[in-house]
Amino acid sequence: MNARTVVQMTDVSMSFGQVKAVDGVSLSVKRGEVFGFLGPNGAGKTTTIRLLLGLLTPSAGRAEVLGFDTRTQAAAIREHCGALLEHNGLYERMSAHDNLEFQGRVWRMPSAHREARIEEMLTDIGLWERRFDLVGKWSRGMKQKLAVARAMFHRPELIFLDEPSAGLDPVAAAALRQDLARLAEREGVTIFLTTHNLAEAEKLCHRVAVIRKGKLLAIGTVDELSGKDGSMHAEIAGKGFNDAIVAALRAMPDVASVRWENSHVSVALERGTEVAPLVHMLVGCGVQIEGVHKNEASLEDVFLDLMQDDQEGAK
Amino acid sequence: MIADIWTVVWKEYREMFRGPGTRFNTLMMFISTGLIGVLMPVQQGAGFVTSPLTLLLCFWVASMMVPSIVADSFAGERERHTLETLLAGRLSHRAILFGKQCAIVLYGWGLTIICLLVGLVSVNLVAGKGHLLLFPAWLALSLVTLSLVACWLFAGLGVLISLRSPTVQKAQQILAMVTLLPIVPFIALVLLLGDQKFGALLMRAASLMPSNMPAVAGIALLVLLLIDLAVVWISLARFQRARLILD
């Protein structure tokens, strides 16, 4: 593990009885980057964070965070990290000020420094005027903002954010994303972010990894994964699709993958592939084409393709 | 370590006395102070400062006040989804455990001392007759130390039960049963011997008390201290972050 690497997982597995929550995951996170860990519910994202924080011990493999072994130096890891976990963990019977003050006390920040930091953080997220309100009376969006501020309060080198925008309405989620991006840039902190919100990952993350049923399916920059190196997606709407036609589409050269939902087919194409031969083939098979749209693949397209490929592989 | 324990105590008191629903705790404080600090001394008169039965107050306050708040210590954090974040921070398991115990012990013990001081004032006002009534030295020392170890016992047991309870209600139910356990032998004796024989036994025990009382208090202190340490040891053994998160 070199100085630039803050998280290093080598073939890490974690089982709960017969269930493998994390299955042979290997990855690394570089200092200063926002690393997205994407996956559907139950993919193993939260378990991975718990493993990296040393809250759980892996069944197999080895993980290091900031150079500390998660099995033997968990306390040192928690000393240098911040975390916003599955639940925001705020004390709702305490004020926002007291929640942050507790965080400062836990990390032994001197009183004057603590007060200055509370003002800085709450002002930054626009909640300074509400500092003496009980957190329990706040909206979910406000609580999440405060929880992010708390995770960064003691200036950790690395923070773990477990689905920070889960359950927020689109406006609150966008506001949280803005705050998160601004704070991350200003504080220069490395962020390990789990999410199933792909737009969030696309906007915030430098690199992403995709996990499903504990297995790592892909890892790379958002551009690499979303095919912005030239590969394309064709969205074809029409009537008359069936299993045989979709199978024929999959068998065509330069077609990476096909997703079919009712009267809509999404085709991932290799770089430079034309759509016309596909349309010609579909028309020849009796499909009544209503529309064709060719665009660069989004992270969502890639994510859904990966999920489908893995599902088909499992069958 | 001490600073970390104090940080947990600070947080516990913020939650206990500043948030909504804390009026109940304040009300309980006034009621117990009124009962033990005013009503009982007034009824007992000068006997309040001389009778060894005053020692029972230590256990009464501890058993009445501590269980009402201790069940919340871990089960409450689990119920309100704050436990995992607390465990993911830099505080050691000892700091968290001792911090929570300490907050409750200080609360119960502080309340007992306040009750005794108010009781002393009350009894002097009612039965002083120009003389200053004070506890004898052995009784004062026993009251202070026994109330401390009694509060520690209830706090320790409560934290131990709360540690793995899924809800506060469940923790309260188990703790109520545990608190009632010491009474069971007395009920059994009443059932076995009958009212009259049990009464005679109590009278005989009471007649033995005055001469041997300091020694009895000393032995009780030692026994309670050993039980307290055993409870702490079990609590430390059962405090495993992974289990607390996955439970």
Side-chain angles (χ1 to χ4, degrees):
Chain A
M1 187 165 167
N2 62 46
R4 285 210 61 231
T5 307
V6 290
V7 175
Q8 180 72 58
M9 294 176 77
T10 312
D11 215 14
V12 173
S13 295
M14 179 73 203
S15 302
F16 298 108
Q18 297 295 314
V19 181
K20 269 204 162 181
V22 177
D23 191 358
V25 170
S26 296
L27 59 83
S28 63
V29 178
K30 302 271 183 289
R31 190 172 295 278
E33 76 176 340
V34 180
F35 185 84
F37 204 51
L38 313 183
N41 291 332
K45 304 188 295 289
T46 299
T47 304
T48 304
I49 285 190
R50 286 172 172 172
L51 286 169
L52 291 174
L53 279 167
L55 296 171
L56 299 178
T57 308
S59 315
R62 179 184 164 84
E64 280 184 30
V65 175
L66 300 165
F68 301 110
D69 191 307
T70 58
R71 283 176 197 269
T72 56
Q73 295 168 297
I77 292 171
R78 291 192 287 269
E79 173 105 37
H80 292 89
C81 291
L84 163 54
L85 303 173
E86 194 176 5
H87 300 285
N88 62 42
L90 294 168
Y91 293 99
E92 302 209 341
R93 297 187 294 187
M94 282 163 49
S95 68
H97 181 280
D98 285 353
N99 267 278
L100 293 184
E101 181 167 357
F102 177 56
Q103 187 78 352
R105 283 172 181 262
V106 166
W107 263 270
R108 294 182 185 173
M109 289 164 74
S111 175
H113 182 197
R114 208 164 55 215
E115 284 303 318
R117 185 70 170 154
I118 290 171
E119 184 171 358
E120 179 191 17
M121 295 301 277
L122 287 179
T123 305
D124 211 9
I125 56 173
L127 294 172
W128 174 245
E129 301 299 322
R130 309 284 301 270
R131 63 190 177 281
F132 296 125
D133 289 2
L134 290 181
V135 171
K137 292 180 177 171
W138 281 6
S139 70
R140 197 177 160 85
M142 291 161 76
K143 286 179 194 172
Q144 287 300 96
K145 279 183 168 195
L146 179 63
V148 168
R150 188 201 51 199
M152 293 190 182
F153 189 77
H154 55 289
R155 301 183 197 278
E157 292 174 60
L158 166 67
I159 63 169
F160 294 95
L161 302 175
D162 193 359
E163 307 205 9
S165 63
L168 297 185
D169 64 65
V171 177
L176 180 72
R177 264 199 301 276
Q178 277 180 359
D179 286 338
L180 191 55
R182 193 177 59 251
L183 288 171
E185 194 179 340
R186 193 188 69 195
E187 306 277 321
V189 65
T190 308
I191 296 180
F192 189 100
L193 169 84
T194 76
T195 182
H196 52 222
N197 184 331
L198 301 167
E200 184 170 278
E202 212 159 8
K203 282 177 185 158
L204 288 175
C205 300
H206 302 117
R207 286 196 311 136
V208 294
V210 180
I211 186 173
R212 184 172 186 270
K213 289 185 179 170
K215 283 189 176 169
L216 197 66
L217 302 180
I219 185 165
T221 65
V222 173
D223 282 356
E224 279 166 7
L225 284 192
S226 60
K228 285 176 182 164
D229 51 349
S231 55
M232 306 294 288
H233 247 76
E235 310 292 335
I236 305 170
K239 288 177 185 163
F241 291 112
N242 58 40
D243 288 336
I245 293 171
V246 172
L249 259 181
R250 285 199 179 113
M252 288 187 75
D254 301 326
V255 170
S257 65
V258 179
R259 275 186 286 119
W260 169 37
E261 285 170 22
N262 302 319
S263 58
H264 182 266
V265 165
S266 177
V267 185
L269 301 166
E270 301 293 346
R271 183 193 297 231
T273 306
E274 293 297 326
V275 183
L278 302 183
V279 176
H280 187 257
M281 189 277 275
L282 290 172
V283 171
C285 292
V287 175
Q288 294 174 303
I289 305 261
E290 290 173 349
V292 178
H293 185 64
K294 186 178 168 186
N295 53 14
E296 284 187 328
S298 67
L299 187 59
E300 185 178 355
D301 293 324
V302 177
F303 181 79
L304 293 172
D305 288 344
L306 283 166
M307 293 297 120
Q308 182 171 305
D309 289 350
D310 184 59
Q311 212 159 12
E312 283 169 2
K315 284 176 189 169
Chain B
M1 177 77 163
I2 300 293
D4 289 345
I5 290 173
W6 190 245
T7 294
V8 178
V9 172
W10 178 89
K11 193 275 289 180
E12 292 293 310
Y13 283 159
R14 286 281 151 144
E15 276 205 292
M16 218 185 280
F17 296 112
R18 283 210 170 176
T22 55
R23 281 181 194 164
F24 176 76
N25 290 338
T26 316
L27 188 68
M28 284 295 285
M29 280 171 62
F30 279 111
I31 289 173
S32 57
T33 311
L35 271 174
I36 300 161
V38 180
L39 200 64
M40 286 181 64
V42 168
Q43 280 185 336
Q44 270 189 285
F48 180 76
V49 291
T50 55
S51 170
L53 289 175
T54 306
L55 280 175
L56 293 176
L57 284 181
C58 305
F59 298 94
W60 197 35
V61 178
S63 67
M64 203 169 70
M65 298 305 296
V66 172
S68 66
I69 55 165
V70 73
D72 191 80
S73 58
F74 281 94
E77 296 246 14
R78 183 175 290 115
E79 219 171 63
R80 294 188 291 275
H81 304 296
T82 53
L83 185 58
E84 190 173 356
T85 301
L86 182 66
L87 298 174
R90 63 160 290 282
L91 293 174
S92 69
H93 67 296
R94 284 192 180 87
I96 296 172
L97 194 74
F98 293 152
K100 283 183 178 284
Q101 280 193 1
C102 215
I104 294 154
V105 169
L106 288 177
Y107 170 74
W109 190 43
L111 205 57
T112 311
I113 299 298
I114 288 170
C115 286
L116 289 170
L117 290 175
V118 173
L120 214 50
V121 173
S122 303
V123 83
N124 272 287
L125 287 174
V126 173
K129 294 174 186 169
H131 300 288
L132 184 63
L133 298 174
L134 289 172
F135 294 114
W138 76 268
L139 186 56
L141 188 67
S142 300
L143 284 168
V144 171
T145 52
L146 273 173
S147 59
L148 176 64
V149 289
C151 286
W152 191 12
L153 176 66
F154 282 100
L157 284 173
V159 166
L160 179 62
I161 290 164
S162 183
L163 198 59
R164 299 291 263 273
S165 289
T167 60
V168 176
Q169 197 183 10
K170 183 83 179 166
Q172 279 170 337
Q173 285 168 350
I174 299 171
L175 194 57
M177 284 193 284
V178 172
T179 310
L180 286 174
L181 273 181
I183 302 169
V184 172
F186 292 101
I187 296 169
L189 277 176
V190 171
L191 290 173
L192 282 171
L193 302 174
D195 287 352
Q196 283 189 336
K197 281 187 179 176
F198 180 71
L201 188 73
L202 273 187
M203 291 299 286
R204 194 169 169 202
S207 69
L208 292 173
M209 269 186 178
S211 58
N212 299 320
M213 213 43 221
V216 171
I219 292 166
L221 183 70
L222 199 65
V223 170
L224 282 175
L225 198 60
L226 288 174
I227 298 173
D228 286 347
L229 291 172
V231 171
V232 168
W233 183 74
I234 297 168
S235 300
L236 283 171
R238 284 175 66 86
F239 193 109
Q240 294 162 358
R241 285 179 201 246
R243 291 292 300 273
L244 294 180
I245 288 168
L246 297 174
D247 273 352

mmCIF file of all heavy atoms in Angstrom, chain A residues 156-180:
data_model
loop_
_atom_site.group_PDB
_atom_site.id
_atom_site.type_symbol
_atom_site.label_atom_id
_atom_site.label_comp_id
_atom_site.label_asym_id
_atom_site.label_seq_id
_atom_site.Cartn_x
_atom_site.Cartn_y
_atom_site.Cartn_z
ATOM 1 N N PRO A 156 -11.375 14.708 9.218
ATOM 2 C CA PRO A 156 -10.787 13.374 9.001
ATOM 3 C C PRO A 156 -10.095 13.300 7.640
ATOM 4 O O PRO A 156 -10.391 14.103 6.747
ATOM 5 C CB PRO A 156 -11.999 12.440 9.040
ATOM 6 C CG PRO A 156 -13.135 13.297 8.619
ATOM 7 C CD PRO A 156 -12.832 14.687 9.075
ATOM 8 N N GLU A 157 -9.205 12.336 7.499
ATOM 9 C CA GLU A 157 -8.530 12.160 6.205
ATOM 10 C C GLU A 157 -9.447 11.462 5.209
ATOM 11 O O GLU A 157 -9.317 11.625 4.004
ATOM 12 C CB GLU A 157 -7.272 11.298 6.400
ATOM 13 C CG GLU A 157 -6.184 11.978 7.196
ATOM 14 C CD GLU A 157 -5.041 11.016 7.466
ATOM 15 O OE1 GLU A 157 -4.437 10.508 6.507
ATOM 16 O OE2 GLU A 157 -4.757 10.774 8.654
ATOM 17 N N LEU A 158 -10.341 10.654 5.743
ATOM 18 C CA LEU A 158 -11.213 9.835 4.901
ATOM 19 C C LEU A 158 -12.604 9.783 5.528
ATOM 20 O O LEU A 158 -12.716 9.608 6.747
ATOM 21 C CB LEU A 158 -10.621 8.415 4.817
ATOM 22 C CG LEU A 158 -11.474 7.287 4.269
ATOM 23 C CD1 LEU A 158 -11.758 7.478 2.777
ATOM 24 C CD2 LEU A 158 -10.780 5.935 4.491
ATOM 25 N N ILE A 159 -13.637 9.969 4.700
ATOM 26 C CA ILE A 159 -14.970 9.783 5.276
ATOM 27 C C ILE A 159 -15.766 8.759 4.462
ATOM 28 O O ILE A 159 -15.631 8.662 3.245
ATOM 29 C CB ILE A 159 -15.785 11.085 5.445
ATOM 30 C CG1 ILE A 159 -16.083 11.768 4.123
ATOM 31 C CG2 ILE A 159 -15.130 12.040 6.387
ATOM 32 C CD1 ILE A 159 -17.107 12.873 4.293
ATOM 33 N N PHE A 160 -16.550 8.006 5.192
ATOM 34 C CA PHE A 160 -17.432 7.012 4.591
ATOM 35 C C PHE A 160 -18.858 7.560 4.635
ATOM 36 O O PHE A 160 -19.335 7.943 5.706
ATOM 37 C CB PHE A 160 -17.371 5.700 5.380
ATOM 38 C CG PHE A 160 -16.043 5.025 5.311
ATOM 39 C CD1 PHE A 160 -15.091 5.210 6.306
ATOM 40 C CD2 PHE A 160 -15.725 4.197 4.242
ATOM 41 C CE1 PHE A 160 -13.857 4.588 6.242
ATOM 42 C CE2 PHE A 160 -14.483 3.575 4.166
ATOM 43 C CZ PHE A 160 -13.550 3.770 5.170
ATOM 44 N N LEU A 161 -19.483 7.610 3.488
ATOM 45 C CA LEU A 161 -20.871 8.078 3.427
ATOM 46 C C LEU A 161 -21.721 6.945 2.860
ATOM 47 O O LEU A 161 -21.517 6.529 1.726
ATOM 48 C CB LEU A 161 -20.984 9.312 2.533
ATOM 49 C CG LEU A 161 -20.143 10.531 2.916
ATOM 50 C CD1 LEU A 161 -20.278 11.630 1.868
ATOM 51 C CD2 LEU A 161 -20.569 11.066 4.275
ATOM 52 N N ASP A 162 -22.639 6.450 3.661
ATOM 53 C CA ASP A 162 -23.468 5.325 3.240
ATOM 54 C C ASP A 162 -24.829 5.849 2.780
ATOM 55 O O ASP A 162 -25.683 6.170 3.609
ATOM 56 C CB ASP A 162 -23.621 4.341 4.413
ATOM 57 C CG ASP A 162 -24.187 2.999 3.956
ATOM 58 O OD1 ASP A 162 -24.464 2.858 2.753
ATOM 59 O OD2 ASP A 162 -24.341 2.113 4.811
ATOM 60 N N GLU A 163 -25.008 5.957 1.478
ATOM 61 C CA GLU A 163 -26.244 6.423 0.858
ATOM 62 C C GLU A 163 -26.748 7.715 1.518
ATOM 63 O O GLU A 163 -27.847 7.736 2.093
ATOM 64 C CB GLU A 163 -27.301 5.340 0.917
ATOM 65 C CG GLU A 163 -26.781 4.041 0.332
ATOM 66 C CD GLU A 163 -27.881 3.147 -0.201
ATOM 67 O OE1 GLU A 163 -29.027 3.599 -0.275
ATOM 68 O OE2 GLU A 163 -27.570 2.014 -0.570
ATOM 69 N N PRO A 164 -25.969 8.795 1.424
ATOM 70 C CA PRO A 164 -26.353 10.015 2.143
ATOM 71 C C PRO A 164 -27.654 10.642 1.657
ATOM 72 O O PRO A 164 -28.321 11.328 2.421
ATOM 73 C CB PRO A 164 -25.169 10.959 1.883
ATOM 74 C CG PRO A 164 -24.500 10.438 0.667
ATOM 75 C CD PRO A 164 -24.712 8.959 0.693
ATOM 76 N N SER A 165 -28.019 10.417 0.391
ATOM 77 C CA SER A 165 -29.229 11.080 -0.113
ATOM 78 C C SER A 165 -30.433 10.139 -0.145
ATOM 79 O O SER A 165 -31.472 10.493 -0.688
ATOM 80 C CB SER A 165 -28.972 11.638 -1.516
ATOM 81 O OG SER A 165 -28.689 10.568 -2.395
ATOM 82 N N ALA A 166 -30.290 8.955 0.455
ATOM 83 C CA ALA A 166 -31.408 8.003 0.437
ATOM 84 C C ALA A 166 -32.619 8.586 1.155
ATOM 85 O O ALA A 166 -32.499 9.143 2.241
ATOM 86 C CB ALA A 166 -30.983 6.704 1.122
ATOM 87 N N GLY A 167 -33.766 8.492 0.500
ATOM 88 C CA GLY A 167 -35.009 8.953 1.111
ATOM 89 C C GLY A 167 -35.248 10.441 1.018
ATOM 90 O O GLY A 167 -36.227 10.943 1.556
ATOM 91 N N LEU A 168 -34.358 11.170 0.343
ATOM 92 C CA LEU A 168 -34.558 12.614 0.207
ATOM 93 C C LEU A 168 -35.329 12.912 -1.074
ATOM 94 O O LEU A 168 -35.199 12.192 -2.067
ATOM 95 C CB LEU A 168 -33.213 13.345 0.148
ATOM 96 C CG LEU A 168 -32.302 13.265 1.362
ATOM 97 C CD1 LEU A 168 -31.091 14.157 1.161
ATOM 98 C CD2 LEU A 168 -33.048 13.674 2.622
ATOM 99 N N ASP A 169 -36.106 14.002 -1.065
ATOM 100 C CA ASP A 169 -36.771 14.402 -2.304
ATOM 101 C C ASP A 169 -35.718 14.986 -3.246
ATOM 102 O O ASP A 169 -34.597 15.317 -2.808
ATOM 103 C CB ASP A 169 -37.910 15.386 -2.015
ATOM 104 C CG ASP A 169 -37.408 16.686 -1.428
ATOM 105 O OD1 ASP A 169 -36.693 17.411 -2.130
ATOM 106 O OD2 ASP A 169 -37.710 16.974 -0.251
ATOM 107 N N PRO A 170 -36.018 15.108 -4.547
ATOM 108 C CA PRO A 170 -34.986 15.535 -5.510
ATOM 109 C C PRO A 170 -34.338 16.875 -5.176
ATOM 110 O O PRO A 170 -33.124 17.049 -5.349
ATOM 111 C CB PRO A 170 -35.757 15.622 -6.828
ATOM 112 C CG PRO A 170 -36.903 14.693 -6.661
ATOM 113 C CD PRO A 170 -37.274 14.739 -5.216
ATOM 114 N N VAL A 171 -35.126 17.816 -4.640
ATOM 115 C CA VAL A 171 -34.570 19.138 -4.328
ATOM 116 C C VAL A 171 -33.582 19.020 -3.163
ATOM 117 O O VAL A 171 -32.465 19.546 -3.221
ATOM 118 C CB VAL A 171 -35.710 20.132 -3.962
ATOM 119 C CG1 VAL A 171 -35.136 21.476 -3.558
ATOM 120 C CG2 VAL A 171 -36.654 20.280 -5.148
ATOM 121 N N ALA A 172 -33.998 18.297 -2.127
ATOM 122 C CA ALA A 172 -33.123 18.128 -0.962
ATOM 123 C C ALA A 172 -31.870 17.341 -1.343
ATOM 124 O O ALA A 172 -30.768 17.652 -0.875
ATOM 125 C CB ALA A 172 -33.872 17.412 0.154
ATOM 126 N N ALA A 173 -32.038 16.334 -2.207
ATOM 127 C CA ALA A 173 -30.889 15.524 -2.628
ATOM 128 C C ALA A 173 -29.893 16.377 -3.410
ATOM 129 O O ALA A 173 -28.677 16.267 -3.208
ATOM 130 C CB ALA A 173 -31.358 14.349 -3.476
ATOM 131 N N ALA A 174 -30.414 17.255 -4.277
ATOM 132 C CA ALA A 174 -29.526 18.125 -5.061
ATOM 133 C C ALA A 174 -28.782 19.093 -4.147
ATOM 134 O O ALA A 174 -27.579 19.338 -4.316
ATOM 135 C CB ALA A 174 -30.341 18.878 -6.099
ATOM 136 N N ALA A 175 -29.510 19.639 -3.163
ATOM 137 C CA ALA A 175 -28.875 20.577 -2.217
ATOM 138 C C ALA A 175 -27.777 19.871 -1.426
ATOM 139 O O ALA A 175 -26.690 20.425 -1.219
ATOM 140 C CB ALA A 175 -29.933 21.144 -1.270
ATOM 141 N N LEU A 176 -28.070 18.644 -1.021
ATOM 142 C CA LEU A 176 -27.073 17.870 -0.260
ATOM 143 C C LEU A 176 -25.838 17.592 -1.115
ATOM 144 O O LEU A 176 -24.703 17.714 -0.652
ATOM 145 C CB LEU A 176 -27.685 16.556 0.233
ATOM 146 C CG LEU A 176 -26.744 15.673 1.038
ATOM 147 C CD1 LEU A 176 -26.490 16.268 2.420
ATOM 148 C CD2 LEU A 176 -27.292 14.268 1.200
ATOM 149 N N ARG A 177 -26.085 17.252 -2.371
ATOM 150 C CA ARG A 177 -24.970 16.978 -3.297
ATOM 151 C C ARG A 177 -24.067 18.202 -3.438
ATOM 152 O O ARG A 177 -22.844 18.094 -3.416
ATOM 153 C CB ARG A 177 -25.518 16.590 -4.666
ATOM 154 C CG ARG A 177 -25.604 15.099 -4.893
ATOM 155 C CD ARG A 177 -25.690 14.769 -6.361
ATOM 156 N NE ARG A 177 -26.819 15.364 -7.030
ATOM 157 C CZ ARG A 177 -28.050 14.842 -7.055
ATOM 158 N NH1 ARG A 177 -28.290 13.712 -6.421
ATOM 159 N NH2 ARG A 177 -29.025 15.427 -7.695
ATOM 160 N N GLN A 178 -24.718 19.364 -3.569
ATOM 161 C CA GLN A 178 -23.943 20.614 -3.712
ATOM 162 C C GLN A 178 -23.081 20.852 -2.476
ATOM 163 O O GLN A 178 -21.890 21.163 -2.580
ATOM 164 C CB GLN A 178 -24.893 21.802 -3.897
ATOM 165 C CG GLN A 178 -25.359 21.968 -5.337
ATOM 166 C CD GLN A 178 -26.305 23.146 -5.480
ATOM 167 O OE1 GLN A 178 -26.615 23.820 -4.515
ATOM 168 N NE2 GLN A 178 -26.785 23.383 -6.691
ATOM 169 N N ASP A 179 -23.714 20.708 -1.314
ATOM 170 C CA ASP A 179 -22.968 20.913 -0.056
ATOM 171 C C ASP A 179 -21.810 19.930 0.049
ATOM 172 O O ASP A 179 -20.704 20.283 0.439
ATOM 173 C CB ASP A 179 -23.896 20.731 1.145
ATOM 174 C CG ASP A 179 -24.834 21.908 1.327
ATOM 175 O OD1 ASP A 179 -24.512 22.995 0.821
ATOM 176 O OD2 ASP A 179 -25.898 21.720 1.943
ATOM 177 N N LEU A 180 -22.116 18.698 -0.311
ATOM 178 C CA LEU A 180 -21.119 17.627 -0.209
ATOM 179 C C LEU A 180 -19.923 17.913 -1.116
ATOM 180 O O LEU A 180 -18.757 17.816 -0.688
ATOM 181 C CB LEU A 180 -21.784 16.299 -0.589
ATOM 182 C CG LEU A 180 -21.032 15.019 -0.317
ATOM 183 C CD1 LEU A 180 -20.631 14.935 1.132
ATOM 184 C CD2 LEU A 180 -21.901 13.817 -0.680
#
